[in-house]
Amino acid sequence: MTKTTKKKKKPAAKKPSTKVRKARLLVVDDEADFAKLIQTILTQAGYGVDTATSATQAIALQRKTAYDLAIVDLRMPEMTGIELLQYLKARDKAIFVILMTAYGSFSVGIEALRRGACDYVAKPFKNKALKDKVAEALHRRQLYLEEQHSIQRSSIDEL
Amino acid sequence: MPYTETHFLSFKTLIRIRTICLVLMSLLLWASEDIHSSPAVSAGWELLFISMVLSLVFGVLGKTKRLVVWLMPVVFIVDGVFVSLWIGISGGPVSFYAPFFLLVLVHAILVLQPRMAAMVTVILLAVFLGFFYLDYVWNLSSTFGATQINLVSNLLEHSPPEVRKAMYWQQGFRWFFFSVLMIIVTTIAMRQVWMREERLRVKERALEQKRHLIQMGEMTGRIAHGINTPLGLISGNLELLMGTITKSSKTYKSLDQINEYVQRAIRTVRDVLDYGRQSMSQIKMVSLPKIMAAVSAAVQPKLKKMNSHLILDIDPKLPEIKGYPEGLYQTLLNLIENAIDSLAKGGVVTLTAKFQLQSMRLSAGDHRGEIKIVIQDNGKGIPADKLSRVFEPFYTTKDFGKGTGLGLSIVKRIVDEHGGSIEVKSKVGTGTTFTLLFPVEEPRVDKADESEDFYYNKAEKTSKDLEL
């Protein structure tokens, strides 16, 4: 009982607060409760989080909002996490993706990184571990954007 | 094992062929009435009798008994001597018994390991030629009236001595080269067959293993997804919940306990998955000293905390073994961590690893051996009633919540998968000793070994010189 009320409260509290620039996150997991849980954890950490329970829903959401980071479950019915990752990346190069796997083997992680994910987390994880990973990913994205920017700058300067 | 079962000739078939041959021989012996009364014939009968008894012993014991393994070459030698003698009596290498000699040889090559077969062949050829020589010197064939059996001998009998001598040599050499050629050809042919079968078997095994692994991967994947998702949900929400309550409250304590149990469940699942994963990794040639070094490095912090010591005594020349590196690492880590956990402050764990030859060895060149790993601690020990249960899954002597109890059962399964064995001895107050044996399939490189022997011999010599 307490759990559900808590979860419902937090997303509601999140929506009106659009201060400076809040990182937009997308959580995709076919397990709706799990997606909600992550949403709660990350909303507490101060991010704007949307959830999707299927790959198609995730793609539809991406059309509306440009997300900074997606947290995608590896095993989903329609599309695997890696396929969705590639799809999302194809539409928006600047999106960073963290893969979640319930079968957290090292080789799955390597495979995810090779296919363009920036990190992976093994379920079940400690909440803090997830927050740390998200923070790190966003930091790396920032560095990446700055780098892209400076590259653009330099090419403009050359002209 | 000197006995190699080929696919097309089973052990039973071989025994049958042998028995038929023996019966045939005895019939021939019995039929040749004219040489019945000679002393050589009675010797022949005795040898035949021995041979038949041995054949019977074979059939009764089956191929697995150690006795059979050692008797096999002996039986072939007895057979060969018997046949040679018979050939000698019945008119030298030109006798129509001569093909039986080749039969024995081919039989030996088929059944025995190449090295053993070569040995038997050499002995039999020596015996065969020896009898031939005796026949030439003592003229056995004519003494025992074999002339009536064999036309060629008959012809020889009536030739002048010089011609006889020349013909015997000619016949002898012809037979000798014929036999050698036959042996070489058969050996090469059989080796080819063996190798092809071996390759096929290896391929089949690998395929089966792959199929098994895929199945296992699917299963563990499903289990992982099915268990880890709810566990993740529980632990995540728990943490959120615990973050909202003051730490001193009763609810928090209850939640904390729940959390502890959930974490334990998570650890158990992770242990099981780790095991599944190690079986899915590929078999490689593994260097144990390297793995041991990694384990030693991994337990250093724990040792420091406990103010204990780990003493390594590892033969750096340990041969590599076929296995799963992750699994072996886990095994050794688990055992050593357990040992450290049992120590009092300032205790000592010793890890010894040595190569030793297997107790049953067939020849000096056979380097089949095993690696013996001993992990010994002077910790608190395991009481006798618990000792027999340590390899059972979920059995733990550690405090509640400290260990999952899966460790040693996984260790045992990993060791079993490597074809090895694990034994434990323990005395309360004195400590615990785990002894692991891993077979080394690949023979050691002979050259290295020789040089080593050479070195040791030299060292021994010099030390002796010094003593003098």
Side-chain angles (χ1 to χ4, degrees), chain B residues 3 5 17 32 37 47 52 55 72 140 147 166 180 183 189 210 229 261 296 319 358 383 396 440:
Chain B
Y3 172 76
E5 189 161 12
I17 293 173
S32 27
S37 51
L47 278 167
M52 276 181 150
S55 197
M72 269 285 189
L140 285 174
T147 41
V180 171
I183 292 154
K210 215 174 181 180
T229 306
Y261 278 78
S296 161
Q358 259 165 10
T396 179
V440 178

Side-chain angles (χ1 to χ4, degrees), chain B residues 167-394:
Chain B
M167 273 182 83
Y168 262 118
W169 275 115
Q170 195 192 0
Q171 291 284 340
F173 275 121
R174 197 190 290 166
W175 266 101
F176 177 70
F177 287 119
F178 178 57
S179 322
V180 171
L181 198 72
M182 275 287 281
I183 292 154
I184 291 170
V185 168
T186 337
T187 312
I188 292 169
M190 286 341 292
R191 281 213 96 145
Q192 291 299 71
V193 173
W194 278 334
M195 271 154 76
R196 204 187 314 139
E197 280 184 359
E198 190 54 39
R199 243 177 281 143
L200 216 76
R201 230 174 296 158
V202 167
K203 235 189 216 169
E204 240 168 61
R205 223 179 295 145
L207 210 76
E208 203 180 301
Q209 206 161 19
K210 215 174 181 180
R211 224 176 291 140
H212 177 74
L213 289 184
I214 288 170
Q215 268 179 0
M216 192 149 162
E218 266 171 25
M219 205 180 73
T220 43
R222 212 172 306 147
I223 292 172
H225 197 78
I227 296 178
N228 278 341
T229 306
L231 277 180
L233 213 78
I234 294 169
S235 79
N237 277 314
L238 257 177
E239 265 186 62
L240 284 177
L241 204 57
M242 283 161 78
T244 60
I245 311 173
T246 46
K247 284 199 175 168
S248 51
S249 71
K250 240 183 172 182
T251 327
Y252 186 88
K253 270 176 196 156
S254 301
L255 290 177
D256 196 34
Q257 201 174 15
I258 295 173
N259 193 30
E260 200 176 293
Y261 278 78
V262 170
Q263 293 309 323
R264 204 172 139 214
I266 290 171
R267 261 204 311 276
T268 307
V269 172
R270 196 160 291 162
D271 272 3
V272 175
L273 288 181
D274 274 345
Y275 171 68
R277 208 169 298 139
Q278 79 87 15
S279 334
M280 283 174 68
S281 64
Q282 270 185 332
I283 297 183
K284 284 181 197 151
M285 292 307 290
V286 187
S287 155
L288 283 171
K290 270 187 198 166
I291 287 182
M292 287 169 185
V295 170
S296 161
V299 296
Q300 285 311 320
K302 206 169 192 176
L303 284 169
K304 256 190 196 161
K305 212 164 116 195
M306 301 281 298
N307 194 21
S308 318
H309 302 280
L310 173 66
I311 297 170
L312 300 176
D313 178 13
I314 302 165
D315 177 5
K317 280 187 198 153
L318 280 186
E320 297 191 324
I321 62 167
K322 260 189 200 168
Y324 308 102
E326 278 176 50
L328 289 168
Y329 174 81
Q330 232 186 312
T331 301
L332 292 173
L333 185 69
N334 216 318
L335 289 173
I336 289 175
E337 277 193 332
N338 278 350
I340 294 171
D341 285 343
S342 80
L343 290 179
K345 278 222 158 143
V348 176
V349 179
T350 44
L351 168 63
T352 325
K354 282 198 173 64
F355 176 82
Q356 61 181 34
L357 291 165
Q358 259 165 10
S359 43
M360 212 183 101
R361 214 153 47 112
L362 295 169
S363 64
D366 193 358
H367 290 303
R368 222 179 292 252
E370 55 203 4
I371 290 175
K372 186 179 183 183
I373 299 171
V374 181
I375 294 159
Q376 194 170 14
D377 65 63
N378 58 1
K380 57 188 173 198
I382 307 167
D385 56 319
K386 289 178 180 169
L387 195 62
S388 55
R389 296 187 57 195
V390 291
F391 293 118
E392 283 174 24
F394 300 106

